[in-house]
Amino acid sequence: MLSKLVSKQIINHGLRLTTRAASASAQPKLVIDRKPPVKFQKLFINNEFVDASSGSTFEVINPATGDVITEVADASEKDVDRAVKAAKDAFRLGSEWRRMDPAARGQLLYKLADLMERDRAYLAALETLNNGKPFKDSYNVDIPHCISVLRYYAGWPDKMNGKVLPVAGDFFSYTRREPVGVVGQIIPWNFPMILLCWKIGPSVATGCTTVIKLDEHTPLTGLYTAKLIEEAGFPPGVVNIISGDGPHCGASLVKHPDVHKISFTGSTQVGKLIGIEAAKLVKRTTLELGGKSPNIVFADCDLDTAVEMSHFALFFNQGQCCCAGSRTYVEEKIYDEFVQRSIERTKRRKVGDPFDESTEQGPQISHEQMDKIIDLIESGKKNGAKLLVGGKREGDKGFFVQPTLFADVEDDHRIAREEIFGPVMQILKFKTVEEVIERANDSDYGLAASVFSKDLDKSIVVSNGLRAGSVWVNTYDNFDPVAPFGGFKQSGLGREKSEYSLDSYSETKCVTIKISQRNS
Amino acid sequence: EIKYTQLFINNEWHKAAKGKTFPVINPSTGEEICQVEEGTREDVDKAVEAARKAFDIESPWRKLEPAARANLIRKFADLLRRDIDYLSKLETLNNGKPVGDSKGDILGSAACIDYYAGWVDKIAGETLPGAHDQFIYTRHEPIGVCGQIIPWNYPIMMMAWKFGPALACGNVIILKPAEQTPLTALYCAALLKEAGFPPGVVNVIPGDGPECGNAIASHEHIDKVAFTGSVEIGKKIQEAAAKSNLKRVTLELGGKSPLIICEDADIDYAVSVAHRAIFTNAAQNCTAGSRTFVHAKIYDQFIAKSIELAKNRVVGDPFDSNTEQGPQINESQFKKILDYVEAGKKDGAKLECGGERHGNKGYFIKPTIFSGVKDDMRIAREEIFGPIMSVLKFDSYDEVIKRANSTSFGLGAGVITKDLTRGLTFAQRLEAGSVWVNDYDAIINQAPFGGFKQSGHGRELGKYGLESYYEVKTVVVKLI
């Protein structure tokens, strides 16, 4: 059912839509491998899989059971050094990568997308095994989105035009858009494959070389993708993928003098630390951080859609979305009805084995996250919010939390201010447009926001007033590769996806040539 | 070996309304390859009806997501590459260009299609800053039914240059390939169907200029016409477009492009560039470097080395991998070119080599060089479209720029020099849509191509190539 609810744009992208109807009988029935074999567990540097230099490894857990899936190489500062060196060599002036025709760079991305499409079922199963998100989502949303993002970026390399400038004097001046150089990219565990592609796309499109640090919770699909990168034909050193922790591995990547730019997706808290470190070397930095996104439901909305989409806005991906609609502001007139319907919907939410076709919600990523969520739920009760559904851990194996709903939440409750990153919905009441805009903006975050209303005029005016990087009207979580995504305020710096993402991976060089006479 | 000889409308093959066919000739032998259905006004009407339906706002084509449209367009490029062996042979059979050149054309065409496929989901309108109670934005909408009339010198490539931007912007197409070279266009129509384009999105109507081409240019329900061909016909097309429904017009016409070789040029390099600038594709190239200006100081050397290169140019069977130059396209061109040889002699230019037919079958002409050419000679003013190099002497750079610009054409221009300042100065001053420094005919999919003055208007290739395939709509929403 969830696949019907998820924004159609997310599903349709990546699937090769042609007007030839693919007859259902021609497609073999999808066989879901609940125990996808782990094939790659080492660091991917220079197109080779290598052990960590210290030989150490760390465990990768299946969050649905708490059991160990496998062990994976644990990169230390030395390995980061190796990887950065590989990326630096690949970026050398005169290298194969630097000299490659821009269109050929694009063809490599198309090839990678094709390989991902080929291995879609396997990748989706591995993602579910490691992350706990329902297989239905990995297969219908995550992997197709990855494919569409890569194909989007594949079209850019030969289209990044500079300008010839109307300068004064006898000069011929033009700009070049050059790759910024070696980039370090650090991604989180909530959308391992998607964020991997959001990082690979612009790096390759602009001609940079990269070292990507996978999150220590979810390295498996990234390391498999490394193999696809080699198979696609990328020159060695152009994309390096390593697994390791934040404090040592991530930190050394951020501090490394040969890394010219850092792109980080994760918590605001860590984002600030990274910003501080990067500033010491004037490193270009883009950050995609947390959020506490307001979802504003007006009385003149389509109530069925609003209830369903608001549910989805919070609960999708086990609530583990930086842009989760975690403050649901409902207009007074429809408040009671909305709360009632939301209770019903939340109670119906099916939690369980992520490989089960009927499951809507899998486990949270870790014990630590689960504890944090339960703690915030307790704070909600303590602060006086009304707990109407759930509120406890689900079962005693794996890290499942019951779908939880609070109503009558006040703006100063912890659950209304702090990012929970779990399946806990907050419903707050409002009276007027001006009031709700002010309350929605009253946050250090500013990642996303949404408006549900049939009044287009009001929707536009409210959208103009919301201090958020993405505002969705009568929809939620639209992640079209064409559209920029990023935060106002402490939700981040810079934009991902879309043409806007290219600037942070480029440096503009202005070349001025003295000539004997300039004519317009 | 010839699979498709009918009109392609609505993803189906049709016989011509009037029931007539016309012969398609192999220029290497002068013999008929096959007969092809001849499209006339009624067939164009049918195609327009199919195209209009395919462009309806509710149609599958209009509703296709941009990423899906991009995938379709790339699929077409993949199929071109898949069938490159067959297609290159068909192109060579029909056009006469060496089969290696055909292969190069197809690869370049597929790359062009891929380039435009990449634009589909990047064609964005803008939001514009307005008053506080206004929401202003632009939409870049497809124009609609685009008539595209292409020539015989680069059949597949000209088709690719037209299809790429038109499809990227979401338009529907009626293509009229040149009557001399319809075969590869018809095969490509089958590939479009195989790729999965909905019916009516691309229609191909082989036919002549006066009846079929004119029907397109003057059609009341075609929204745009793009034409590549001669200046003479280009003017007729623009007139017909204006007289009928003021359809949008872009034209890629002829040229008499100058290549200027400066005294500091590496002589061997300059000779090789000048040679290919004129002789490539048997000189059947709108940007042919057909006026070679050589600085007096290196003039004699240049002539001597050019003659040697021209004499060694291998003319013959285009299916032979050693062949560098195939036949001219047909008898009419063949005669016209030999007439120009006579004109050159009569006007007093010195015939250094060639100047006559090669062999006794097909329309082959020997690579020809005239030296001592003066600006007012016919061979220096008129587009020959045949393998005649005209070499003119100069000794002043200011003067040569003026002479180079003294033409109603303005398609391409080249300058060979080691002096960067001089190169850039020439780039500023030459009145041509493309200026090449230390190169010639560098055609690159990202870079716009088109003419100054009577060489045409509008640009193909690059981002600029999209501009003539969308309409800008401004939307202003008042917020009350």
Side-chain angles (χ1 to χ4, degrees):
Chain A
M1 189 193 180
L2 184 64
S3 54
K4 286 205 194 97
L5 304 172
V6 168
S7 297
K8 253 178 131 213
Q9 289 92 324
I10 299 181
I11 294 181
N12 286 350
H13 272 107
L15 301 180
R16 293 197 135 205
L17 282 184
T18 69
T19 53
R20 279 176 302 162
S23 68
S25 58
Q27 309 273 52
K29 177 154 166 62
L30 180 64
V31 175
I32 303 173
D33 185 353
R34 286 158 171 265
K35 284 197 165 68
V38 176
K39 299 181 184 173
F40 301 101
Q41 297 140 285
K42 299 187 187 185
L43 313 178
F44 182 75
I45 299 176
N46 251 343
N47 277 10
E48 287 170 352
F49 285 96
V50 295
D51 287 310
S53 53
S54 65
S56 71
T57 62
F58 62 90
E59 290 179 341
V60 180
I61 308 292
N62 174 354
T65 61
D67 299 331
V68 173
I69 304 171
T70 185
E71 286 184 4
V72 155
D74 186 5
S76 65
E77 286 90 338
K78 241 175 153 186
D79 302 302
V80 167
D81 219 31
R82 271 200 293 171
V84 171
K85 181 168 186 312
K88 189 177 172 189
D89 281 345
F91 193 73
R92 224 180 47 247
L93 196 64
S95 73
E96 185 186 349
W97 187 240
R98 293 294 293 276
R99 299 199 60 195
M100 192 180 280
D101 278 346
R105 288 209 301 272
Q107 291 298 329
L108 284 173
L109 283 173
Y110 282 127
K111 180 73 188 175
L112 182 61
D114 286 347
L115 293 176
M116 247 178 226
E117 197 168 41
R118 178 194 70 189
D119 296 346
R120 178 182 171 193
Y122 170 76
L123 271 168
L126 191 61
E127 187 86 318
T128 287
L129 181 72
N130 196 181
N131 169 282
K133 63 176 73 201
F135 178 82
K136 224 170 24 202
D137 289 352
S138 305
Y139 188 77
N140 290 311
V141 177
D142 292 58
I143 306 301
H145 177 74
C146 290
I147 294 165
S148 69
V149 166
L150 293 177
R151 286 184 178 147
Y152 170 78
Y153 276 110
W156 270 120
D158 53 8
K159 299 174 180 63
M160 294 189 315
N161 304 343
K163 294 186 198 279
V164 171
L165 308 162
V167 290
D170 291 323
F171 299 100
F172 170 45
S173 288
Y174 61 92
T175 55
R176 270 169 58 83
R177 292 176 64 179
E178 304 190 351
V180 69
V182 174
V183 310
Q185 303 176 307
I186 300 171
I187 62 177
W189 46 259
N190 58 342
F191 290 95
M193 280 301 296
I194 286 183
L195 289 163
L196 181 66
C197 293
W198 283 22
K199 303 291 184 219
I200 290 176
S203 175
V204 170
T206 53
C208 296
T209 58
T210 177
V211 176
I212 303 176
K213 185 197 89 63
L214 308 172
D215 190 278
E216 59 265 43
H217 296 91
T218 51
L220 301 183
T221 45
L223 291 177
Y224 184 82
T225 304
K227 182 65 179 170
L228 298 182
I229 283 167
E230 189 238 320
E231 190 182 341
F234 283 83
V238 169
V239 180
N240 307 280
I241 299 180
I242 60 178
S243 43
D245 72 1
H248 298 100
C249 183
S252 73
L253 189 57
V254 172
K255 289 181 181 151
H256 203 294
D258 291 333
V259 171
H260 306 107
K261 172 201 158 53
I262 294 290
S263 173
F264 168 79
T265 300
S267 71
T268 294
Q269 180 197 21
V270 176
K272 287 179 179 179
L273 294 174
I274 290 184
I276 292 168
E277 269 316 311
K280 291 179 184 170
L281 292 171
V282 196
K283 253 178 228 209
R284 289 91 178 90
T285 311
T286 46
L287 305 169
E288 290 283 348
L289 309 176
K292 193 71 186 177
S293 303
N295 168 21
I296 303 171
V297 182
F298 286 98
D300 60 4
C301 70
D302 175 325
L303 194 56
D304 282 330
T305 304
V307 167
E308 193 54 54
M309 288 308 292
S310 301
H311 177 85
F312 165 74
L314 189 291
F315 287 102
F316 179 60
N317 209 45
Q318 294 65 251
Q320 300 169 143
C321 281
C322 44
C323 53
S326 48
R327 288 183 287 155
T328 311
Y329 288 95
V330 181
E331 193 173 349
E332 195 175 42
K333 214 151 83 180
I334 53 163
Y335 183 82
D336 291 335
E337 177 73 28
F338 184 93
V339 170
Q340 200 43 51
R341 293 198 198 193
S342 296
I343 290 171
E344 282 160 26
R345 181 61 184 94
T346 308
K347 282 185 169 156
R348 266 198 339 256
R349 189 169 186 77
K350 181 133 190 314
V351 182
D353 173 4
F355 280 102
D356 198 315
E357 252 180 71
S358 62
T359 295
E360 293 178 280
Q361 181 177 314
Q364 308 311 121
I365 191 62
S366 67
H367 208 293
E368 193 188 330
Q369 280 294 316
M370 183 180 68
D371 287 344
K372 181 175 150 205
I373 294 161
I374 303 286
D375 182 60
L376 276 157
I377 292 173
E378 289 308 308
S379 82
K381 292 193 304 203
K382 207 188 286 163
N383 284 158
K386 233 178 2 196
L387 177 64
L388 296 168
V389 184
K392 292 192 171 58
R393 181 183 187 177
E394 175 77 23
D396 53 9
K397 206 159 172 274
F399 316 122
F400 296 84
V401 175
Q402 294 173 341
T404 300
L405 189 148
F406 280 100
D408 298 353
V409 177
E410 304 287 336
D411 288 351
D412 58 353
H413 294 171
R414 281 186 66 200
I415 55 172
R417 302 211 66 78
E418 295 174 35
E419 191 176 34
I420 302 173
F421 235 60
V424 184
M425 186 173 188
Q426 284 64 241
I427 305 183
L428 308 90
K429 192 190 292 189
F430 78 91
K431 285 197 172 82
T432 71
V433 172
E434 293 76 16
E435 168 212 335
V436 76
I437 292 178
E438 202 182 316
R439 289 169 65 189
N441 288 340
D442 179 22
S443 166
D444 287 333
Y445 292 116
L447 191 52
S450 59
V451 174
F452 284 87
S453 164
K454 284 191 189 135
D455 183 341
L456 182 65
D457 187 298
K458 178 165 68 188
S459 302
I460 293 176
V461 171
V462 171
S463 303
N464 291 353
L466 291 166
R467 303 295 292 168
S470 295
V471 179
W472 293 303
V473 178
N474 294 328
T475 186
Y476 208 89
D477 273 347
N478 180 307
F479 286 117
D480 197 313
V482 164
F485 179 82
F488 279 41
K489 303 189 274 186
Q490 295 190 32
S491 281
L493 281 170
R495 294 291 176 269
E496 299 208 279
K497 306 187 283 111
S498 85
E499 185 175 1
Y500 296 84
S501 65
L502 300 172
D503 279 341
S504 55
Y505 286 83
S506 309
E507 288 278 357
T508 300
K509 171 186 287 173
C510 183
V511 179
T512 301
I513 304 175
K514 175 110 181 72
I515 51 177
S516 57
Q517 191 188 116
R518 180 190 59 82
N519 288 281
S520 60
Chain B
E1 222 194 0
I2 308 299
K3 298 183 181 166
Y4 307 103
T5 58
Q6 299 187 329
L7 317 181
F8 184 76
I9 302 174
N10 242 353
N11 277 10
E12 294 161 353
W13 299 101
H14 293 261
K15 283 177 112 63
K18 284 215 165 91
K20 283 176 56 206
T21 63
F22 65 92
V24 179
I25 308 295
N26 174 354
S28 301
T29 60
E31 288 159 7
E32 182 182 304
I33 302 171
C34 64
Q35 293 273 334
V36 165
E37 296 289 320
E38 184 169 359
T40 58
R41 184 164 286 271
E42 289 97 321
D43 302 296
V44 171
D45 284 341
K46 249 203 295 193
V48 171
E49 201 186 314
R52 287 242 76 91
K53 193 138 159 268
F55 191 69
D56 185 275
I57 196 96
E58 297 292 333
S59 72
W61 179 241
R62 293 300 294 276
K63 294 184 110 116
L64 209 55
E65 310 282 7
R69 192 160 84 232
N71 286 340
L72 262 187
I73 297 172
R74 274 197 312 122
K75 179 78 185 165
F76 177 55
D78 284 344
L79 293 177
L80 285 175
R81 283 183 283 251
R82 180 193 72 185
D83 293 352
I84 190 171
D85 277 338
Y86 173 79
L87 259 175
S88 57
K89 287 184 185 140
L90 189 60
E91 185 88 319
T92 289
L93 182 72
N94 197 179
N95 167 282
K97 64 176 73 200
V99 76
D101 289 1
S102 293
K103 280 204 163 129
D105 283 1
I106 292 166
L107 289 175
S109 301
C112 175
I113 301 278
D114 269 342
Y115 173 80
Y116 278 109
W119 268 119
V120 176
D121 54 8
K122 300 168 181 64
I123 299 170
E126 298 183 315
T127 59
L128 306 161
H132 72 94
D133 60 349
Q134 288 176 319
F135 172 38
I136 312 170
Y137 65 95
T138 56
R139 281 169 54 82
H140 290 187
E141 303 188 349
I143 301 179
V145 180
C146 299
Q148 304 183 317
I149 301 171
I150 60 177
W152 46 259
N153 57 344
Y154 290 91
I156 293 177
M157 200 179 257
M158 293 296 97
M159 177 203 70
W161 285 24
K162 299 278 183 275
F163 282 0
L167 295 173
C169 293
N171 296 289
V172 293
I173 294 169
I174 297 172
L175 178 84
K176 188 198 89 60
E179 60 265 40
Q180 296 86 345
T181 53
L183 301 181
T184 46
L186 291 174
Y187 185 84
C188 288
L191 294 183
L192 286 162
K193 181 174 177 180
E194 185 185 341
F197 282 82
V201 172
V202 181
N203 307 278
V204 181
I205 312 285
D208 70 1
E211 169 64 40
C212 190
N214 186 43
I216 290 174
S218 60
H219 207 284
E220 292 292 337
H221 299 295
I222 288 180
D223 306 302
K224 178 214 158 52
V225 64
F227 169 79
T228 299
S230 69
V231 175
E232 185 199 344
I233 305 297
K235 287 179 176 177
K236 291 201 168 113
I237 299 236
Q238 188 162 325
E239 221 183 295
K243 276 200 176 127
S244 53
N245 65 345
L246 217 58
K247 58 174 67 62
R248 287 93 178 88
V249 178
T250 46
L251 304 171
E252 290 283 349
L253 309 175
K256 193 70 185 176
S257 302
L259 171 61
I260 300 164
I261 301 179
C262 304
E263 67 199 277
D264 65 345
D266 176 309
I267 189 81
D268 286 319
Y269 182 70
V271 165
S272 77
V273 173
H275 178 85
R276 70 173 160 85
I278 177 67
F279 293 118
T280 300
N281 212 44
Q284 300 170 133
N285 183 355
C286 46
T287 46
S290 48
R291 285 183 294 153
T292 313
F293 289 94
V294 181
H295 194 280
K297 285 214 176 90
I298 53 168
Y299 183 84
D300 293 331
Q301 261 194 89
F302 179 88
I303 297 288
K305 290 190 182 229
S306 296
I307 291 170
E308 203 185 315
L309 213 55
K311 281 186 168 158
N312 285 328
R313 189 171 179 75
V314 179
V315 182
D317 174 9
F319 282 100
D320 184 330
S321 56
N322 290 320
T323 296
E324 295 170 288
Q325 181 175 313
Q328 309 310 124
I329 189 63
N330 61 16
E331 190 172 358
S332 149
Q333 284 293 316
F334 175 79
K335 283 204 172 115
K336 184 175 144 203
I337 295 160
L338 292 177
D339 280 347
Y340 274 108
V341 172
E342 293 313 306
K345 287 192 222 162
K346 198 180 312 153
D347 286 344
K350 181 165 178 233
L351 179 66
E352 298 279 0
C353 65
E356 57 186 4
R357 185 183 199 180
H358 168 96
N360 52 15
K361 209 161 166 270
Y363 312 115
F364 297 84
I365 295 182
K366 292 187 178 158
T368 302
I369 299 182
F370 275 104
S371 64
V373 178
K374 300 274 186 276
D375 290 354
D376 54 358
M377 293 179 183
R378 280 188 65 206
I379 56 172
R381 302 213 63 74
E382 296 170 27
E383 190 176 34
I384 301 172
F385 238 60
I388 300 178
M389 177 189 271
S390 298
V391 188
L392 307 91
K393 195 189 289 192
F394 77 94
D395 49 29
S396 144
Y397 290 109
D398 286 332
E399 172 214 319
V400 78
I401 291 180
K402 288 203 181 88
R403 289 167 64 189
N405 286 339
S406 155
T407 164
S408 61
F409 291 113
L411 193 53
V415 58
I416 315 275
T417 176
K418 290 200 178 97
D419 182 338
L420 181 65
T421 299
R422 184 186 298 145
L424 292 176
T425 303
F426 274 55
Q428 278 188 99
R429 293 194 181 176
L430 287 166
E431 293 162 5
S434 296
V435 178
W436 299 296
V437 179
N438 289 329
D439 201 349
Y440 200 85
D441 227 4
I443 302 293
I444 301 154
N445 291 322
Q446 305 89 288
F449 176 88
F452 277 39
K453 302 190 269 187
Q454 293 191 40
S455 281
H457 50 80
R459 291 291 175 270
E460 299 200 284
L461 302 184
K463 186 179 185 189
Y464 297 82
L466 296 169
E467 286 172 9
S468 40
Y469 282 97
Y470 60 78
E471 287 274 0
V472 179
K473 173 187 287 176
T474 299
V475 180
V476 182
V477 178
K478 181 139 174 68
L479 301 171
I480 44 187

